[in-house]
Protein backbone atom coordinates (compact mmCIF):
# COMPACT_ATOMS: atom_id res chain seq x y z
CA UNK A 1 0.00 0.00 0.00
CA UNK A 2 1.30 3.46 -0.85
CA UNK A 3 2.12 5.78 2.07
CA UNK A 4 2.82 9.44 2.56
CA UNK A 5 6.13 10.76 3.91
CA UNK A 6 4.61 10.67 7.38
CA UNK A 7 3.87 6.99 6.99
CA UNK A 8 0.08 7.32 6.59
CA UNK A 9 -1.65 5.18 3.96
CA UNK A 10 -3.37 6.99 1.12
CA UNK A 11 -5.99 6.06 -1.45
CA UNK A 12 -3.68 5.37 -4.39
CA UNK A 13 -6.12 3.96 -6.93
CA UNK A 14 -6.74 6.73 -9.49
CA UNK A 15 -9.99 5.03 -10.52
CA UNK A 16 -11.57 5.20 -7.07
CA UNK A 17 -13.91 8.04 -8.09
CA UNK A 18 -15.24 5.93 -10.96
CA UNK A 19 -15.72 3.21 -8.35
CA UNK A 20 -17.80 5.68 -6.37
CA UNK A 21 -20.01 6.16 -9.45
CA UNK A 22 -20.64 2.40 -9.54
CA UNK A 23 -21.41 2.24 -5.80
CA UNK A 24 -23.68 5.29 -5.98
CA UNK A 25 -25.52 3.91 -9.02
CA UNK A 26 -26.32 0.68 -7.18
CA UNK A 27 -27.42 2.55 -4.05
CA UNK A 28 -29.65 4.85 -6.10
CA UNK A 29 -31.33 1.85 -7.72
CA UNK A 30 -32.03 0.25 -4.33
CA UNK A 31 -33.41 3.41 -2.70
CA UNK A 32 -35.55 4.65 -5.58
CA UNK A 33 -37.09 1.20 -6.02
CA UNK A 34 -38.82 1.62 -2.68
CA UNK A 35 -40.92 4.42 -4.21
CA UNK A 36 -40.75 4.13 -8.01
CA UNK A 37 -43.82 1.88 -8.16
CA UNK A 38 -45.99 4.19 -6.02
CA UNK A 39 -47.22 6.31 -8.91
CA UNK A 40 -47.54 3.21 -11.11
CA UNK A 41 -49.58 1.30 -8.52
CA UNK A 42 -53.06 2.28 -9.80
CA UNK A 43 -52.15 1.06 -13.31
CA UNK A 44 -50.69 -2.20 -12.01
CA UNK A 45 -53.75 -2.76 -9.83
CA UNK A 46 -56.11 -2.40 -12.81
CA UNK A 47 -53.92 -4.55 -15.05
CA UNK A 48 -53.51 -7.46 -12.61
CA UNK A 49 -56.92 -7.23 -10.92
CA UNK A 50 -55.60 -6.58 -7.41
CA UNK A 51 -58.06 -5.82 -4.63
CA UNK A 52 -57.79 -2.61 -2.62
CA UNK A 53 -56.87 -4.65 0.45
CA UNK A 54 -54.02 -6.49 -1.28
CA UNK A 55 -52.48 -3.73 -3.39
CA UNK A 56 -50.36 -2.53 -0.43
CA UNK A 57 -48.25 -5.67 -0.76
CA UNK A 58 -46.57 -4.27 -3.87
CA UNK A 59 -44.89 -1.82 -1.47
CA UNK A 60 -44.89 -3.84 1.74
CA UNK A 61 -43.34 -7.01 0.26
CA UNK A 62 -40.29 -4.98 -0.73
CA UNK A 63 -39.90 -3.04 2.51
CA UNK A 64 -40.48 -6.13 4.67
CA UNK A 65 -37.79 -8.16 2.94
CA UNK A 66 -35.40 -5.23 2.71
CA UNK A 67 -35.72 -3.99 6.28
CA UNK A 68 -35.96 -7.43 7.84
CA UNK A 69 -32.96 -9.02 6.08
CA UNK A 70 -30.48 -6.13 6.08
CA UNK A 71 -28.54 -7.34 9.12
CA UNK A 72 -28.17 -10.75 7.52
CA UNK A 73 -27.01 -9.12 4.29
CA UNK A 74 -24.44 -7.05 6.15
CA UNK A 75 -22.97 -10.07 7.91
CA UNK A 76 -22.88 -12.08 4.67
CA UNK A 77 -20.91 -9.21 3.12
CA UNK A 78 -18.38 -9.42 5.94
CA UNK A 79 -18.05 -13.20 5.70
CA UNK A 80 -18.02 -13.68 1.91
CA UNK A 81 -16.46 -10.41 0.75
CA UNK A 82 -18.09 -7.06 -0.09
CA UNK A 83 -17.33 -7.00 -3.81
CA UNK A 84 -18.63 -10.53 -4.30
CA UNK A 85 -21.90 -9.88 -2.44
CA UNK A 86 -22.23 -6.52 -4.21
CA UNK A 87 -22.16 -8.24 -7.60
CA UNK A 88 -24.45 -11.09 -6.47
CA UNK A 89 -26.91 -8.50 -5.14
CA UNK A 90 -26.91 -6.59 -8.43
CA UNK A 91 -27.51 -9.70 -10.55
CA UNK A 92 -30.23 -11.00 -8.24
CA UNK A 93 -31.94 -7.60 -8.10
CA UNK A 94 -32.00 -7.40 -11.91
CA UNK A 95 -33.43 -10.92 -12.20
CA UNK A 96 -36.16 -10.18 -9.63
CA UNK A 97 -36.99 -6.95 -11.49
CA UNK A 98 -37.39 -8.87 -14.75
CA UNK A 99 -39.68 -11.36 -13.00
CA UNK A 100 -41.83 -8.56 -11.59
CA UNK A 101 -42.04 -6.73 -14.91
CA UNK A 102 -43.30 -9.91 -16.56
CA UNK A 103 -45.82 -10.66 -13.78
CA UNK A 104 -49.07 -12.23 -14.99
CA UNK A 105 -50.81 -12.04 -11.62
CA UNK A 106 -50.68 -10.22 -8.32
CA UNK A 107 -49.02 -13.13 -6.47
CA UNK A 108 -46.17 -13.22 -8.99
CA UNK A 109 -45.63 -9.49 -8.58
CA UNK A 110 -45.68 -9.69 -4.77
CA UNK A 111 -43.13 -12.50 -4.84
CA UNK A 112 -40.86 -10.60 -7.23
CA UNK A 113 -40.98 -7.52 -5.03
CA UNK A 114 -40.02 -9.63 -1.99
CA UNK A 115 -37.08 -11.06 -3.97
CA UNK A 116 -36.03 -7.53 -4.89
CA UNK A 117 -36.04 -6.59 -1.23
CA UNK A 118 -33.99 -9.67 -0.28
CA UNK A 119 -31.28 -8.94 -2.85
CA UNK A 120 -31.36 -5.24 -1.91
CA UNK A 121 -30.62 -6.33 1.65
CA UNK A 122 -27.40 -7.92 0.38
CA UNK A 123 -26.54 -5.09 -2.01
CA UNK A 124 -27.04 -2.01 0.19
CA UNK A 125 -24.63 -2.85 3.06
CA UNK A 126 -22.03 -4.09 0.56
CA UNK A 127 -22.19 -0.73 -1.23
CA UNK A 128 -21.75 1.36 1.92
CA UNK A 129 -18.95 -0.82 3.32
CA UNK A 130 -17.09 -0.65 -0.03
CA UNK A 131 -17.39 3.12 0.16
CA UNK A 132 -16.13 3.14 3.74
CA UNK A 133 -13.02 1.11 2.93
CA UNK A 134 -12.28 2.94 -0.33
CA UNK A 135 -12.22 6.52 0.97
CA UNK A 136 -10.31 7.18 4.20
CA UNK A 137 -8.65 10.55 3.50
CA UNK A 138 -10.84 13.15 5.31
CA UNK A 139 -11.22 15.52 2.34
CA UNK A 140 -12.06 12.71 -0.08
CA UNK A 141 -14.26 11.01 2.50
CA UNK A 142 -16.33 14.17 2.92
CA UNK A 143 -16.92 14.48 -0.82
CA UNK A 144 -17.65 10.77 -1.26
CA UNK A 145 -20.14 10.61 1.60
CA UNK A 146 -21.70 13.86 0.39
CA UNK A 147 -22.51 12.23 -2.93
CA UNK A 148 -23.63 9.01 -1.26
CA UNK A 149 -25.78 10.84 1.31
CA UNK A 150 -27.40 12.92 -1.43
CA UNK A 151 -28.39 9.79 -3.33
CA UNK A 152 -29.60 8.00 -0.20
CA UNK A 153 -31.74 11.00 0.72
CA UNK A 154 -33.00 11.91 -2.75
CA UNK A 155 -33.38 8.44 -4.26
CA UNK A 156 -36.97 8.12 -3.06
CA UNK A 157 -37.93 11.43 -4.66
CA UNK A 158 -36.15 10.46 -7.88
CA UNK A 159 -38.23 7.28 -7.82
CA UNK A 160 -41.41 9.35 -7.99
CA UNK A 161 -40.09 11.31 -10.98
CA UNK A 162 -38.96 8.24 -12.91
CA UNK A 163 -42.11 6.36 -11.97
CA UNK A 164 -44.29 9.17 -13.29
CA UNK A 165 -42.43 9.39 -16.59
CA UNK A 166 -42.39 5.64 -17.20
CA UNK A 167 -46.03 5.17 -16.24
CA UNK A 168 -47.32 8.00 -18.40
CA UNK A 169 -45.21 7.40 -21.51
CA UNK A 170 -44.61 3.61 -21.41
CA UNK A 171 -46.40 1.47 -18.80
CA UNK A 172 -46.05 0.40 -15.18
CA UNK A 173 -43.92 -2.66 -16.03
CA UNK A 174 -41.03 -0.41 -17.04
CA UNK A 175 -40.81 0.80 -13.44
CA UNK A 176 -39.31 -2.67 -12.84
CA UNK A 177 -37.59 -3.29 -16.17
CA UNK A 178 -35.58 -0.07 -15.81
CA UNK A 179 -33.45 -1.74 -13.13
CA UNK A 180 -32.01 -4.26 -15.59
CA UNK A 181 -29.77 -1.88 -17.63
CA UNK A 182 -28.77 0.01 -14.46
CA UNK A 183 -27.70 -3.22 -12.78
CA UNK A 184 -25.84 -4.39 -15.91
CA UNK A 185 -23.76 -1.21 -16.03
CA UNK A 186 -23.03 -1.46 -12.31
CA UNK A 187 -21.94 -5.13 -12.59
CA UNK A 188 -19.44 -4.38 -15.37
CA UNK A 189 -18.20 -1.37 -13.43
CA UNK A 190 -17.81 -3.41 -10.24
CA UNK A 191 -15.67 -6.06 -11.97
CA UNK A 192 -13.45 -3.39 -13.50
CA UNK A 193 -13.18 -0.78 -10.75
CA UNK A 194 -13.88 -2.14 -7.26
CA UNK A 195 -11.40 -3.86 -4.97
CA UNK A 196 -11.96 -5.73 -1.75
CA UNK A 197 -10.32 -7.93 0.83
CA UNK A 198 -11.38 -11.59 0.74
CA UNK A 199 -14.01 -12.76 3.16
CA UNK A 200 -13.34 -14.69 6.36
CA UNK A 201 -12.86 -18.27 5.17
CA UNK A 202 -13.31 -19.98 8.55
CA UNK A 203 -16.17 -17.86 9.88
CA UNK A 204 -19.69 -19.15 10.45
CA UNK A 205 -23.04 -17.42 10.23
CA UNK A 206 -24.99 -16.80 13.45
CA UNK A 207 -28.14 -18.74 12.48
CA UNK A 208 -30.04 -18.19 15.80
CA UNK A 209 -29.19 -14.48 15.55
CA UNK A 210 -30.55 -14.41 11.99
CA UNK A 211 -33.85 -16.01 13.04
CA UNK A 212 -34.32 -13.83 16.14
CA UNK A 213 -33.13 -10.48 14.76
CA UNK A 214 -34.61 -10.69 11.28
CA UNK A 215 -37.80 -12.30 12.60
CA UNK A 216 -38.26 -9.50 15.16
CA UNK A 217 -37.77 -6.76 12.57
CA UNK A 218 -40.11 -8.44 10.09
CA UNK A 219 -42.80 -8.87 12.76
CA UNK A 220 -42.63 -5.19 13.76
CA UNK A 221 -42.60 -3.85 10.19
CA UNK A 222 -45.43 -6.24 9.27
CA UNK A 223 -47.37 -5.05 12.32
CA UNK A 224 -47.08 -1.43 11.27
CA UNK A 225 -48.10 -2.27 7.71
CA UNK A 226 -51.21 -4.09 8.97
CA UNK A 227 -52.12 -1.30 11.41
CA UNK A 228 -53.37 0.82 8.52
CA UNK A 229 -56.15 -1.48 7.22
CA UNK A 230 -56.89 -3.29 10.51
CA UNK A 231 -56.45 -0.63 13.19
CA UNK A 232 -53.96 -0.33 16.06
CA UNK A 233 -55.99 -2.45 18.50
CA UNK A 234 -56.55 -5.37 16.12
CA UNK A 235 -55.45 -8.67 17.77
CA UNK A 236 -53.16 -9.54 14.86
CA UNK A 237 -51.42 -6.14 15.01
CA UNK A 238 -50.93 -6.35 18.79
CA UNK A 239 -49.68 -9.93 18.49
CA UNK A 240 -47.15 -8.94 15.83
CA UNK A 241 -45.82 -6.07 17.96
CA UNK A 242 -45.54 -8.32 21.02
CA UNK A 243 -43.86 -11.07 19.03
CA UNK A 244 -41.42 -8.62 17.46
CA UNK A 245 -40.50 -7.16 20.85
CA UNK A 246 -39.97 -10.60 22.39
CA UNK A 247 -37.81 -11.73 19.46
CA UNK A 248 -35.66 -8.57 19.59
CA UNK A 249 -35.14 -8.90 23.35
CA UNK A 250 -34.11 -12.52 22.80
CA UNK A 251 -31.84 -11.35 19.96
CA UNK A 252 -29.98 -8.95 22.28
CA UNK A 253 -29.68 -11.68 24.93
CA UNK A 254 -28.26 -14.10 22.37
CA UNK A 255 -25.81 -11.61 20.88
CA UNK A 256 -24.12 -11.32 24.29
CA UNK A 257 -23.50 -15.07 24.22
CA UNK A 258 -23.04 -16.00 20.56
CA UNK A 259 -19.46 -16.97 19.58
CA UNK A 260 -19.83 -15.14 16.24
CA UNK A 261 -22.72 -12.69 16.71
CA UNK A 262 -24.77 -11.38 13.80
CA UNK A 263 -24.60 -7.87 15.29
CA UNK A 264 -21.65 -7.34 17.65
CA UNK A 265 -23.24 -5.23 20.40
CA UNK A 266 -20.21 -2.96 20.71
CA UNK A 267 -21.37 -1.43 17.41
CA UNK A 268 -24.67 -0.19 18.85
CA UNK A 269 -23.30 0.46 22.34
CA UNK A 270 -21.12 3.22 20.92
CA UNK A 271 -22.90 6.48 21.80
CA UNK A 272 -22.24 8.22 18.49
CA UNK A 273 -23.36 5.30 16.36
CA UNK A 274 -26.49 4.73 18.44
CA UNK A 275 -27.33 8.43 18.06
CA UNK A 276 -26.84 8.23 14.31
CA UNK A 277 -29.03 5.13 14.01
CA UNK A 278 -31.85 6.77 16.01
CA UNK A 279 -31.55 10.07 14.13
CA UNK A 280 -31.75 8.28 10.78
CA UNK A 281 -34.76 6.23 11.83
CA UNK A 282 -36.69 9.22 13.16
CA UNK A 283 -35.81 11.40 10.16
CA UNK A 284 -37.07 8.85 7.65
CA UNK A 285 -40.33 8.40 9.57
CA UNK A 286 -41.21 11.97 8.62
CA UNK A 287 -39.66 11.87 5.14
CA UNK A 288 -41.44 8.75 3.87
CA UNK A 289 -44.72 9.99 5.34
CA UNK A 290 -44.28 13.21 3.40
CA UNK A 291 -43.78 11.31 0.12
CA UNK A 292 -47.00 9.40 0.66
CA UNK A 293 -49.12 12.45 1.53
CA UNK A 294 -47.73 14.73 -1.15
CA UNK A 295 -48.19 12.12 -3.89
CA UNK A 296 -51.89 11.76 -3.12
CA UNK A 297 -52.32 15.48 -2.42
CA UNK A 298 -50.83 16.50 -5.75
CA UNK A 299 -52.63 13.85 -7.83
CA UNK A 300 -56.01 13.64 -6.07
CA UNK A 301 -56.52 17.13 -4.60
CA UNK A 302 -54.64 19.34 -7.07
CA UNK A 303 -55.26 16.96 -10.04
CA UNK A 304 -51.61 16.76 -11.19
CA UNK A 305 -50.71 14.14 -13.82
CA UNK A 306 -48.20 11.37 -12.87
CA UNK A 307 -45.38 13.18 -14.67
CA UNK A 308 -46.26 16.56 -13.16
CA UNK A 309 -46.44 14.95 -9.72
CA UNK A 310 -43.01 13.41 -10.16
CA UNK A 311 -41.52 16.69 -11.36
CA UNK A 312 -43.07 18.49 -8.39
CA UNK A 313 -40.64 16.53 -6.18
CA UNK A 314 -37.62 17.69 -8.21
CA UNK A 315 -36.91 20.79 -6.05
CA UNK A 316 -36.85 18.54 -2.98
CA UNK A 317 -34.30 16.29 -4.67
CA UNK A 318 -32.17 19.24 -5.77
CA UNK A 319 -32.24 20.71 -2.26
CA UNK A 320 -31.13 17.40 -0.72
CA UNK A 321 -28.19 17.20 -3.14
CA UNK A 322 -27.18 20.81 -2.47
CA UNK A 323 -27.46 20.41 1.28
CA UNK A 324 -25.41 17.22 1.21
CA UNK A 325 -22.67 17.95 -1.34
CA UNK A 326 -22.32 21.73 -1.11
CA UNK A 327 -22.92 22.33 2.60
CA UNK A 328 -22.40 19.18 4.67
CA UNK A 329 -19.47 17.85 2.64
CA UNK A 330 -17.66 21.21 2.90
CA UNK A 331 -18.24 21.61 6.64
CA UNK A 332 -17.93 18.01 7.88
CA UNK A 333 -14.19 18.28 8.62
CA UNK A 334 -14.57 21.71 10.24
CA UNK A 335 -17.46 21.23 12.70
CA UNK A 336 -18.75 18.37 14.89
CA UNK A 337 -21.39 16.19 13.14
CA UNK A 338 -24.21 17.34 15.43
CA UNK A 339 -23.62 20.94 14.32
CA UNK A 340 -24.90 19.81 10.93
CA UNK A 341 -27.47 17.23 12.04
CA UNK A 342 -29.34 19.40 14.57
CA UNK A 343 -29.82 22.43 12.26
CA UNK A 344 -30.73 19.97 9.50
CA UNK A 345 -33.57 18.48 11.50
CA UNK A 346 -34.77 21.93 12.59
CA UNK A 347 -34.84 23.06 8.94
CA UNK A 348 -36.73 19.91 7.92
CA UNK A 349 -39.22 20.44 10.76
CA UNK A 350 -39.68 24.03 9.56
CA UNK A 351 -40.52 22.80 6.08
CA UNK A 352 -43.03 20.35 7.53
CA UNK A 353 -44.53 23.17 9.60
CA UNK A 354 -45.28 25.15 6.44
CA UNK A 355 -47.17 22.16 5.05
CA UNK A 356 -49.55 22.12 8.02
CA UNK A 357 -51.15 25.24 6.46
CA UNK A 358 -52.05 23.61 3.13
CA UNK A 359 -55.67 23.54 1.99
CA UNK A 360 -57.60 22.14 -0.97
CA UNK A 361 -56.80 25.34 -2.88
CA UNK A 362 -53.12 25.78 -1.99
CA UNK A 363 -50.74 27.06 -4.62
CA UNK A 364 -47.79 24.80 -5.36
CA UNK A 365 -45.41 27.67 -6.18
CA UNK A 366 -46.07 29.81 -3.11
CA UNK A 367 -47.06 27.29 -0.42
CA UNK A 368 -45.76 23.80 -1.28
CA UNK A 369 -42.47 24.60 -3.04
CA UNK A 370 -40.84 26.58 -0.15
CA UNK A 371 -41.67 23.73 2.24
CA UNK A 372 -40.08 21.12 -0.05
CA UNK A 373 -36.91 23.20 -0.40
CA UNK A 374 -36.53 23.60 3.37
CA UNK A 375 -37.17 19.88 3.84
CA UNK A 376 -34.55 18.99 1.24
CA UNK A 377 -31.87 21.24 2.66
CA UNK A 378 -32.48 19.88 6.15
CA UNK A 379 -32.29 16.26 5.01
CA UNK A 380 -29.14 16.96 3.00
CA UNK A 381 -27.47 18.50 6.04
CA UNK A 382 -28.38 15.45 8.12
CA UNK A 383 -27.89 12.36 5.96
CA UNK A 384 -24.24 12.80 5.03
CA UNK A 385 -22.84 13.24 8.59
CA UNK A 386 -25.06 10.37 9.76
CA UNK A 387 -23.56 7.95 7.23
CA UNK A 388 -20.00 9.20 7.78
CA UNK A 389 -20.14 9.19 11.59
CA UNK A 390 -21.91 5.85 11.94
CA UNK A 391 -19.31 4.03 9.83
CA UNK A 392 -16.16 5.80 11.08
CA UNK A 393 -13.59 3.79 13.03
CA UNK A 394 -15.24 0.40 12.45
CA UNK A 395 -13.07 -2.72 12.24
CA UNK A 396 -12.94 -4.05 8.65
CA UNK A 397 -14.65 -7.30 9.64
CA UNK A 398 -17.60 -5.30 11.05
CA UNK A 399 -17.97 -2.68 8.31
CA UNK A 400 -20.66 -4.62 6.44
CA UNK A 401 -22.91 -5.17 9.44
CA UNK A 402 -22.43 -1.56 10.58
CA UNK A 403 -23.44 -0.34 7.14
CA UNK A 404 -26.44 -2.67 7.26
CA UNK A 405 -27.53 -1.21 10.60
CA UNK A 406 -27.55 2.31 9.12
CA UNK A 407 -29.65 1.10 6.19
CA UNK A 408 -31.92 -0.87 8.53
CA UNK A 409 -32.67 2.23 10.59
CA UNK A 410 -33.49 4.11 7.37
CA UNK A 411 -35.70 1.38 5.89
CA UNK A 412 -37.52 0.42 9.08
CA UNK A 413 -38.03 4.11 9.88
CA UNK A 414 -39.55 4.63 6.45
CA UNK A 415 -41.85 1.64 6.82
CA UNK A 416 -42.99 2.74 10.27
CA UNK A 417 -43.48 6.32 9.10
CA UNK A 418 -45.66 5.31 6.16
CA UNK A 419 -47.92 3.15 8.33
CA UNK A 420 -47.98 5.38 11.42
CA UNK A 421 -48.61 8.72 9.71
CA UNK A 422 -51.04 7.26 7.19
CA UNK A 423 -53.12 5.77 10.00
CA UNK A 424 -53.17 9.13 11.81
CA UNK A 425 -54.15 10.92 8.58
CA UNK A 426 -56.91 8.44 7.76
CA UNK A 427 -58.52 8.59 11.21
CA UNK A 428 -58.23 12.40 11.33
CA UNK A 429 -59.84 12.71 7.90
CA UNK A 430 -62.67 10.34 8.80
CA UNK A 431 -63.43 12.31 11.98
CA UNK A 432 -63.54 15.59 10.03
CA UNK A 433 -65.85 14.18 7.36
CA UNK A 434 -68.25 12.73 9.96
CA UNK A 435 -68.43 16.10 11.74
CA UNK A 436 -68.90 18.29 8.63
CA UNK A 437 -70.94 16.22 6.18
CA UNK A 438 -74.40 17.71 6.65
CA UNK A 439 -75.44 18.18 3.02
CA UNK A 440 -75.02 15.14 0.70
CA UNK A 441 -74.71 17.50 -2.27
CA UNK A 442 -71.46 18.83 -0.83
CA UNK A 443 -69.98 15.38 -0.17
CA UNK A 444 -67.16 15.61 -2.75
CA UNK A 445 -65.90 18.92 -1.36
CA UNK A 446 -66.16 17.83 2.28
CA UNK A 447 -64.33 14.58 1.55
CA UNK A 448 -61.53 16.48 -0.16
CA UNK A 449 -61.30 18.89 2.78
CA UNK A 450 -61.30 15.95 5.19
CA UNK A 451 -58.43 14.26 3.35
CA UNK A 452 -56.30 17.42 3.52
CA UNK A 453 -57.23 17.96 7.18
CA UNK A 454 -56.05 14.42 7.96
CA UNK A 455 -52.76 15.12 6.17
CA UNK A 456 -52.13 18.26 8.19
CA UNK A 457 -52.75 16.43 11.48
CA UNK A 458 -50.25 13.74 10.51
CA UNK A 459 -47.73 16.37 9.39
CA UNK A 460 -47.93 17.98 12.84
CA UNK A 461 -46.84 14.61 14.23
CA UNK A 462 -44.03 14.53 11.66
CA UNK A 463 -42.87 17.98 12.84
CA UNK A 464 -42.58 16.64 16.38
CA UNK A 465 -40.71 13.52 15.21
CA UNK A 466 -38.23 15.67 13.23
CA UNK A 467 -37.57 17.84 16.27
CA UNK A 468 -37.11 14.70 18.37
CA UNK A 469 -34.52 13.52 15.84
CA UNK A 470 -32.68 16.83 16.25
CA UNK A 471 -32.77 16.46 20.04
CA UNK A 472 -31.39 12.91 19.82
CA UNK A 473 -28.57 14.08 17.54
CA UNK A 474 -27.72 16.99 19.84
CA UNK A 475 -27.60 14.86 22.99
CA UNK A 476 -26.10 11.61 21.73
CA UNK A 477 -23.76 12.43 18.82
CA UNK A 478 -20.79 13.93 20.64
CA UNK A 479 -18.06 13.10 18.09
CA UNK A 480 -15.55 15.84 17.34
CA UNK A 481 -14.77 17.25 13.92
CA UNK A 482 -12.03 15.20 12.15
CA UNK A 483 -8.69 16.99 12.38
CA UNK A 484 -7.76 18.69 9.17
CA UNK A 485 -5.41 16.48 7.18
CA UNK A 486 -5.81 13.48 9.49
CA UNK A 487 -7.38 10.18 8.59
CA UNK A 488 -11.12 10.15 9.10
CA UNK A 489 -10.94 6.83 10.83
CA UNK A 490 -8.42 4.27 11.96
CA UNK A 491 -9.89 0.80 11.48
CA UNK A 492 -8.89 -1.97 13.80
CA UNK A 493 -6.48 -4.29 11.94
CA UNK A 494 -8.28 -7.24 10.39
CA UNK A 495 -7.32 -10.48 12.12
CA UNK A 496 -5.73 -13.24 10.08
CA UNK A 497 -8.19 -16.04 9.51
Amino acid sequence: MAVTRTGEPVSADPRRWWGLVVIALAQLMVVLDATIVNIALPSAQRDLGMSDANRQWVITAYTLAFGGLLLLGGRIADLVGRKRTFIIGLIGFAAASALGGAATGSGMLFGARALQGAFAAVLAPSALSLLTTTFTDPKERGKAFGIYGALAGSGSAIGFIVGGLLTEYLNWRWCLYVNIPIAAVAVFGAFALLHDRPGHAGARLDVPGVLLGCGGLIAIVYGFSEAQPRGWTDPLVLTLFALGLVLLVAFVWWQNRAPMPLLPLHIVKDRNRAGCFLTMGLATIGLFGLFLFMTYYLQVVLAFSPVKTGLAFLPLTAAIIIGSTQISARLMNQVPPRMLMVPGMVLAAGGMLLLTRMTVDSSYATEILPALILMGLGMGLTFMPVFATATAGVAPQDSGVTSATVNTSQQVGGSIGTALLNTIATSGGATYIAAHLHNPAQRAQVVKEGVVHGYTIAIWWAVGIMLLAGLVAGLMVTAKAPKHGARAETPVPEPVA
Side-chain angles (χ1 to χ4, degrees):
M1 179 182 293
V3 296
T4 66
R5 291 182 179 179
T6 61
E8 291 181 321
V10 297
S11 298
D13 187 354
R15 300 180 302 172
R16 60 191 177 279
W17 290 104
W18 285 108
L20 173 62
V21 172
V22 173
I23 295 170
L25 190 64
Q27 177 66 14
L28 176 63
M29 180 180 70
V30 168
V31 175
L32 69 83
D33 221 74
T35 58
I36 192 172
V37 299
N38 276 270
I39 293 178
L41 187 54
S43 299
Q45 182 181 0
R46 289 193 300 268
D47 195 12
L48 300 180
M50 284 182 248
S51 68
D52 288 344
N54 288 334
R55 65 184 178 187
Q56 64 161 326
W57 284 104
V58 176
I59 310 298
T60 306
Y62 182 84
T63 56
L64 272 177
F66 192 9
L69 297 175
L70 265 168
L71 284 176
L72 173 60
R75 183 47 81 193
I76 290 174
D78 287 332
L79 300 182
V80 178
R82 292 86 167 179
K83 178 178 176 179
R84 186 179 301 173
T85 52
F86 183 79
I87 292 171
I88 291 171
L90 283 169
I91 295 171
F93 197 92
S97 299
L99 181 66
T104 56
S106 58
M108 185 175 174
L109 180 58
F110 300 157
R113 289 287 286 167
L115 275 178
Q116 277 187 309
F119 281 108
V122 173
L123 179 59
S126 302
L128 185 53
S129 57
L130 281 169
L131 180 65
T132 302
T133 55
T134 299
F135 294 93
T136 54
D137 177 84
K139 290 184 179 179
E140 290 190 347
R141 187 180 176 88
K143 293 178 183 178
F145 272 94
I147 294 170
Y148 185 89
L151 289 172
S154 64
S156 298
I158 294 173
F160 285 115
I161 299 170
V162 175
L165 290 169
L166 292 175
T167 302
E168 189 153 327
Y169 294 111
L170 293 173
N171 62 56
W172 67 268
R173 297 180 185 274
W174 280 96
C175 291
L176 295 164
Y177 287 144
V178 71
N179 294 316
I180 299 173
I182 297 175
V185 171
V187 167
F188 284 115
F191 276 116
L193 299 169
L194 298 181
H195 305 283
D196 187 27
R197 299 180 182 89
H200 297 261
R204 292 181 300 172
L205 196 63
D206 175 20
V207 177
V210 171
L211 296 176
L212 293 172
C214 297
L217 286 175
I218 289 173
I220 288 176
V221 175
Y222 185 26
F224 274 105
S225 70
E226 287 297 301
Q228 177 185 342
R230 294 175 178 269
W232 293 101
T233 58
D234 182 82
L236 175 62
V237 173
L238 295 177
T239 301
L240 287 168
F241 287 151
L243 176 63
L245 182 61
V246 169
L247 288 174
L248 289 180
V249 170
F251 171 76
V252 173
W253 174 84
W254 172 250
Q255 294 306 283
N256 274 317
R257 291 158 178 78
M260 293 182 178
L262 178 67
L263 176 61
L265 292 183
H266 65 263
I267 291 174
V268 292
K269 285 179 179 177
D270 179 87
R271 178 173 180 164
N272 290 301
R273 288 195 194 99
C276 287
F277 298 152
L278 284 174
T279 300
M280 174 62 80
L282 292 169
T284 51
I285 285 177
L287 183 63
F288 275 62
L290 173 75
F291 288 148
L292 178 69
F293 299 147
M294 294 312 299
T295 299
Y296 279 93
Y297 177 76
L298 293 172
Q299 287 197 62
V300 176
V301 178
L302 299 187
F304 280 23
S305 68
V307 169
K308 192 175 180 181
T309 299
L311 292 175
F313 283 102
L314 192 57
L316 173 67
T317 304
I320 290 175
I321 294 173
I322 291 171
S324 186
T325 62
Q326 301 304 311
I327 302 176
S328 276
R330 295 175 184 271
L331 295 177
M332 189 179 75
N333 294 320
Q334 311 299 325
V335 300
R338 63 178 172 182
M339 295 301 292
L340 296 171
M341 296 161 64
V342 174
M345 286 293 90
V346 172
L347 267 180
M352 284 282 193
L353 194 61
L354 292 179
L355 290 177
T356 61
R357 302 170 57 191
M358 68 184 185
T359 67
V360 294
D361 301 314
S362 291
S363 165
Y364 172 82
T366 59
E367 298 177 65
I368 307 301
L369 179 59
L372 295 181
I373 292 174
L374 283 177
M375 276 283 298
L377 288 174
M379 288 296 176
L381 280 172
T382 303
F383 279 132
M384 194 277 291
V386 164
F387 281 119
T389 306
T391 56
V394 179
Q397 66 268 23
D398 290 331
S399 64
V401 72
T402 304
S403 305
T405 308
V406 180
N407 280 284
T408 297
S409 63
Q410 182 182 24
Q411 191 63 33
V412 173
S415 301
I416 291 172
T418 300
L420 171 65
L421 297 181
N422 192 56
T423 300
I424 293 171
T426 302
S427 59
T431 301
Y432 180 94
I433 293 169
H436 292 79
L437 186 57
H438 306 301
N439 184 353
Q442 298 177 338
R443 178 176 179 80
Q445 180 65 20
V446 172
V447 168
K448 188 179 291 188
E449 291 174 353
V451 167
V452 175
H453 177 74
Y455 291 166
T456 58
I457 292 176
I459 290 172
W460 271 111
W461 279 80
V463 170
I465 293 170
M466 290 289 187
L467 292 176
L468 178 60
L471 181 63
V472 167
L475 294 177
M476 295 187 65
V477 183
T478 58
K480 306 294 184 183
K483 294 181 180 179
H484 186 69
R487 284 172 58 78
E489 42 125 329
T490 306
V492 176
E494 189 167 8
V496 178

